[in-house]
Amino acid sequence: MTASNGEGPHSRAAQVDPLAGLRAHDDPPWDVYLTGTVFLDIIFTGLDSAPVRGTESWARGMGSSPGGVANMATALARLGLRTSLAAAFGDDHYGEYCWDALEQGERIDLSTSRTVPGWHSPVTVSMAYEGERTMVSHGHEPPPEEPAPDCPPRARAAVASLTPGTRAPWIAGAAGKGTRIFADVGWDDTGRWDLAGLPDLAHCEAFLPNAEEAMRYTGATCPRAAAHALTEHVPLAVVTLGAEGAYAVDGRTGETAEVPAIEVEAMDPTGAGDVFVAGFVTGTLAGWPLADRLAFAGLTAALSVQEFGGSLSAPGWSEIAGWWRRVQSYDHQDPAALGRYAFLEPLLPEPSRAWPLRRAVPTIGFGRSA
């Protein structure tokens, strides 16, 4: 394990390498590869209610950060994984800001990314209230060149978002070179909910849909039955159950695991699903037991919803360490509940600040702190 201290709005107070004991000289250069669309996210918080037609609403808080696939990339990087992202960036100030925030702030490799002249960055405005969110997005068709290279760089793993009815050639290419593919999926606007319409699922090691998606794709009447049904198509199925936690089935071994959710006061759920996947990928690459992977993924997602924004709220190891020290200080804590997370103890750095931690909010136009 290695740790270092840093300052500034993008730095992580303590950097942990969860794969330190597994690294060898002939390893792939990257732990995780991913590709997709980067948005500029502008997030308004502190709204008392949903915006009302014909009125003006004032938000008590606002932040801006890279969004879209950048949420996942940031979550992975903050958990200590060497992350490579292939994406198109606009040549406007928004694109420059997102590139700098990811490359310089989060230390994400962008060598396979590119800046597209004359293409402006997609933008999403997110309004968080009452534990929910409303979003408005704007963007033009992506550039004609595919940002994902035909032969993505060697990596231990890749995270892919499957699109119904669409095949992404890079997934088969990466899997053929030994990259472990972890996939989620968006809502099927076609209404077919046909697993045959997800051809790249055949190349995936793990599939991580939510409960509604899993049941619709399998026709099962409960999410746990849906998880078992999915293992006929993919080795490992992980179904998120919202406030109930998550359930996983390893079809290769028959092992199952279920971990309840951590009760928290949610400020903004933006990016929580990405953080969950990032936590699960981290635990899998580190070789943790299935239940530990689920517990860690759920913990990181729970920490993220207590802050606003997608990439802004992704926790690092200092946040996890701060939470662990704080929950142990509570009187009458359930020893069994605490024991569920004791496996993290050897990894955690000594927190330098009290939990919950407040990240500096990057706002376009401000210079970076020294």
Side-chain angles (χ1 to χ4, degrees), residues 284-297:
T284 301
L285 295 184
W288 298 346
L290 185 58
D292 289 353
R293 287 181 263 165
L294 276 190
F296 183 69

Side-chain angles (χ1 to χ4, degrees), residues 150-219:
D150 293 334
C151 297
R154 288 178 59 236
R156 296 173 188 263
V159 179
S161 184
L162 305 184
T163 302
T166 301
R167 186 186 296 274
W170 74 265
I171 295 177
K177 296 180 179 180
T179 297
R180 305 163 71 177
I181 310 295
F182 296 76
D184 60 12
V185 67
W187 190 257
D188 187 352
D189 292 328
T190 69
R192 296 189 182 93
W193 297 100
D194 182 7
L195 284 169
L198 300 177
D200 288 325
L201 192 61
H203 305 294
C204 297
E205 174 175 330
F207 186 42
L208 299 94
N210 63 35
E212 183 67 20
E213 292 160 350
M215 290 188 291
R216 285 179 179 265
Y217 270 116
T218 61

Side-chain angles (χ1 to χ4, degrees), residues 43-49 58-62 127-130 267 308:
I43 308 103
F44 292 100
T45 64
L47 291 164
D48 295 322
S49 63
W58 279 83
R60 290 187 292 275
M62 190 205 86
M127 292 161 280
Y129 53 89
E130 299 173 355
M267 176 185 289
F308 64 84

Side-chain angles (χ1 to χ4, degrees), residues 19-317:
L19 308 186
L22 303 174
R23 298 197 184 279
H25 72 279
D26 58 347
D27 281 344
W30 307 110
D31 296 326
V32 187
Y33 167 81
L34 62 166
T35 184
T37 302
V38 173
F39 286 74
L40 172 71
D41 281 356
I42 300 173
I43 308 103
F44 292 100
T45 64
L47 291 164
D48 295 322
S49 63
V52 177
R53 180 179 179 181
T55 67
E56 181 180 14
S57 299
W58 279 83
R60 290 187 292 275
M62 190 205 86
S64 53
S65 65
V69 71
N71 292 338
M72 179 76 72
T74 299
L76 290 162
R78 287 185 181 171
L79 292 177
L81 298 186
R82 300 170 184 175
T83 303
S84 180
L85 169 64
F89 289 78
D91 64 349
D92 50 14
H93 288 307
Y94 292 172
E96 293 174 359
Y97 164 78
C98 289
W99 186 294
D100 181 67
L102 295 173
E103 184 179 58
Q104 302 300 323
E106 305 296 345
R107 304 167 200 163
I108 293 168
D109 169 63
L110 298 179
S111 60
T112 55
S113 292
R114 61 197 177 90
T115 298
V116 181
W119 183 64
H120 77 68
S121 303
V123 177
T124 292
V125 174
S126 176
M127 292 161 280
Y129 53 89
E130 299 173 355
E132 296 293 337
R133 58 177 175 168
T134 296
M135 297 186 294
V136 178
S137 297
H138 170 72
H140 295 288
E141 287 295 319
E145 291 183 40
E146 180 62 43
D150 293 334
C151 297
R154 288 178 59 236
R156 296 173 188 263
V159 179
S161 184
L162 305 184
T163 302
T166 301
R167 186 186 296 274
W170 74 265
I171 295 177
K177 296 180 179 180
T179 297
R180 305 163 71 177
I181 310 295
F182 296 76
D184 60 12
V185 67
W187 190 257
D188 187 352
D189 292 328
T190 69
R192 296 189 182 93
W193 297 100
D194 182 7
L195 284 169
L198 300 177
D200 288 325
L201 192 61
H203 305 294
C204 297
E205 174 175 330
F207 186 42
L208 299 94
N210 63 35
E212 183 67 20
E213 292 160 350
M215 290 188 291
R216 285 179 179 265
Y217 270 116
T218 61
T221 56
C222 82
R224 293 163 185 81
H228 284 273
L230 286 171
T231 59
E232 298 178 8
H233 305 271
V234 66
L236 179 60
V238 181
V239 177
T240 54
L241 309 174
E244 295 182 42
Y247 182 80
V249 183
D250 190 329
R252 297 162 296 193
T253 64
E255 181 184 7
T256 64
E258 183 167 1
V259 175
I262 297 175
E263 293 186 12
V264 295
E265 183 177 349
M267 176 185 289
D268 179 9
T270 303
D274 294 327
V275 173
F276 181 95
V277 173
F280 190 82
V281 170
T282 301
T284 301
L285 295 184
W288 298 346
L290 185 58
D292 289 353
R293 287 181 263 165
L294 276 190
F296 183 69
L299 169 61
T300 54
L303 294 179
S304 77
V305 302
Q306 295 177 87
E307 298 291 337
F308 64 84
S311 61
L312 278 176
S313 66
W317 287 99

